[in-house]
Amino acid sequence: MQSRAVAMEEGKEAIAVRATQSNCRILVAPVAESNIRPCFEESSRLWSWIRPPSNLLHTMNDSELFWRASFMPRIKTYPFKRKPKIAFMFLTKGPLPLAPLWERFFKGNEDKYSIYVHSLPSYHADFPPTSVFYQRQIPSQVAEWGMMSMCDAERRLLANALLDISNEWFVLLSESCIPLQNFSIIYLYLLRSRYSFVGSFDEPGPYGRGRYNENMAPEVNLTQWRKGAQWFEVNRKLALDIVVDTKYYPKFKDFCRPACYVDEHYFPTMLAIQSAHLLANRSLTWVDWSRGGAHPATFGRADITKEFFKKKINDRGTCFYNNQPSSLCFLFARKFAPSALEPLLDLASKVFGF
């Protein structure tokens, strides 16, 4: 048998192989480099771990969501350029009648905020694609006033917002809330604060300590019992503390029921026990309780004037901001009826600065 001669010429696109015992010629075509990459290579890139969810309507239940939201880097410096954002969390029953005012407030600050909406499960929003509220609803459940389901909704909002690692501050709002300042002032006010804004007071009498149940001990003693407003503004650390809590949650669920209103006691008490030194002990959301009753005053079209905001809200003395006296004490206010929208839009540029 004669030996085979294999001719390989440098720079040729094919290799010709000649066999002396046959007249066959075999051509081997070049193989182009594939653009397909294994999926594990893509998921190993940092961006795949830090990018926010593209679709808020995930299929996780609360246990899965809270577990996922509890992931926290222990190295404090970020290996990428991170612009801190504020998560605006709307706890609503359905529509957002004051949305046009918020649209104007958010305009031009798209890289500094995130929006999350928790509504009744039966409500389906119809915001246009151009709206900042478009597809910002999260998987929701029924939330009843004064019940633990209300706190569940707030924790659900926090957990969804924690999935975006750029969210540094978390603001709880309702459909009747409005901003009192322009976006830049609110953004800097929160990001420069050393404290989270949660009211937490030791209130004697039937509506404070009188709501305490001895079955709360030993996790919560009477001297640790606190009361505060439902509406808060917290940083990422305290948002995480609220979501991961399993120590205090069962006690409040079982032993704080009407006439103990859990949304007024659970977070103020838990955070005061764990992180009192991180609380400003006040809320940035102005509410008018001067009329008495179980619910604060609601303001409509006839109430909205420049004098209303000056006398009711802006001229209310001083507060402390980073341990220094400040005349800027409120960034948000409630409750405002849908009829207030038109005059609010008319006054926004003069009174609120946007």
Side-chain angles (χ1 to χ4, degrees):
M1 181 182 296
Q2 296 182 2
S3 62
R4 296 178 178 178
V6 180
M8 302 180 64
E9 296 185 36
E10 185 176 356
K12 297 293 185 180
E13 293 185 354
I15 300 173
V17 180
R18 295 181 178 85
T20 58
Q21 289 186 334
S22 69
N23 293 326
C24 232
R25 175 175 291 182
I26 302 173
L27 296 178
V28 181
V31 178
E33 182 180 356
S34 173
N35 290 323
I36 300 175
R37 293 289 181 269
C39 59
F40 68 83
E41 185 173 304
E42 174 67 24
S43 65
S44 68
R45 294 178 182 174
L46 180 62
W47 175 240
S48 68
W49 292 92
I50 64 175
R51 64 186 171 195
S54 58
N55 184 6
L56 296 186
L57 293 178
H58 54 74
T59 58
M60 290 183 284
N61 60 36
D62 281 354
S63 296
E64 294 167 338
L65 172 64
F66 295 168
W67 178 83
R68 176 62 183 86
S70 69
F71 291 5
M72 180 183 67
R74 298 180 64 182
I75 298 177
K76 300 303 180 184
T77 55
Y78 293 90
F80 57 92
K81 187 176 181 181
R82 176 182 182 263
K83 176 171 285 189
K85 295 192 296 186
I86 300 174
F88 292 85
M89 308 179 303
F90 290 84
L91 179 57
T92 78
K93 293 181 179 179
L96 292 170
L98 303 178
L101 183 69
W102 285 101
E103 298 266 8
R104 186 184 296 185
F105 166 77
F106 287 121
K107 187 175 181 180
N109 299 282
E110 286 72 19
D111 59 341
K112 297 177 183 175
Y113 69 84
S114 303
I115 294 174
Y116 304 86
V117 180
H118 186 293
S119 62
L120 290 174
S122 58
Y123 174 71
H124 300 285
D126 58 351
F127 292 104
T130 55
S131 171
V132 298
F133 295 100
Y134 180 67
Q135 294 185 345
R136 301 312 298 174
Q137 283 183 278
I138 66 168
S140 306
Q141 298 180 32
V142 174
E144 298 180 85
W145 179 71
M147 303 297 289
M148 184 54 94
S149 60
M150 184 68 72
C151 294
D152 291 336
E154 295 170 15
R155 297 176 82 206
R156 205 172 289 124
L157 279 164
L158 286 169
N160 278 277
L162 281 167
L163 298 181
D164 185 344
I165 200 169
S166 294
N167 287 332
E168 187 63 29
W169 278 84
F170 304 78
V171 178
L172 182 65
L173 302 159
S174 75
E175 65 266 39
S176 65
C177 285
I178 65 168
L180 295 175
Q181 306 292 333
N182 64 44
F183 188 93
S184 296
I185 290 176
I186 290 178
Y187 183 82
L188 292 176
Y189 194 100
L190 290 175
L191 261 68
R192 291 175 178 174
S193 177
R194 298 198 295 268
Y195 303 97
S196 287
F197 297 91
V198 179
S200 181
F201 304 95
D202 181 6
E203 182 178 311
Y207 304 115
R209 287 198 176 199
R211 294 175 175 175
Y212 176 78
N213 187 320
E214 292 181 352
N215 290 305
M216 301 288 291
E219 285 79 5
V220 180
N221 296 314
L222 178 60
T223 56
Q224 298 171 311
W225 184 254
R226 295 293 182 269
K227 182 180 179 180
Q230 176 182 4
W231 313 101
F232 58 73
E233 301 81 19
V234 297
N235 62 21
R236 191 171 183 91
K237 181 198 179 305
L238 294 195
L240 187 63
D241 288 347
I242 292 172
V243 167
V244 303
D245 172 54
T246 56
K247 178 179 180 180
Y248 302 100
Y249 180 91
K251 288 289 186 174
F252 280 90
K253 183 178 181 180
D254 292 339
F255 303 115
C256 183
R257 300 184 178 186
C260 176
Y261 299 103
V262 69
D263 55 279
E264 296 180 357
H265 296 281
Y266 174 28
F267 298 156
T269 300
M270 180 192 72
L271 294 177
I273 293 173
Q274 295 185 156
S275 305
H277 63 292
L278 299 178
L279 301 181
N281 204 18
R282 64 184 179 94
S283 172
L284 296 177
T285 301
W286 177 84
V287 182
D288 183 5
W289 289 97
S290 63
R291 300 179 186 179
H295 300 282
T298 299
F299 303 99
R301 175 188 293 270
D303 299 300
I304 308 305
T305 63
K306 292 173 64 175
E307 291 72 25
F308 169 85
F309 290 101
K310 185 176 187 302
K311 294 179 180 179
K312 277 275 189 182
I313 302 175
N314 296 335
D315 291 348
R316 295 181 65 87
T318 60
C319 55
F320 282 90
Y321 175 75
N322 287 340
N323 300 321
Q324 299 296 321
S326 172
S327 60
L328 181 55
C329 300
F330 298 104
L331 302 183
F332 310 98
R334 64 186 303 267
K335 302 169 63 171
F336 291 86
S339 64
L341 176 61
E342 186 176 342
L344 284 170
L345 288 171
D346 291 340
L347 288 177
S349 60
K350 298 176 183 178
V351 176
F352 309 137
F354 61 87

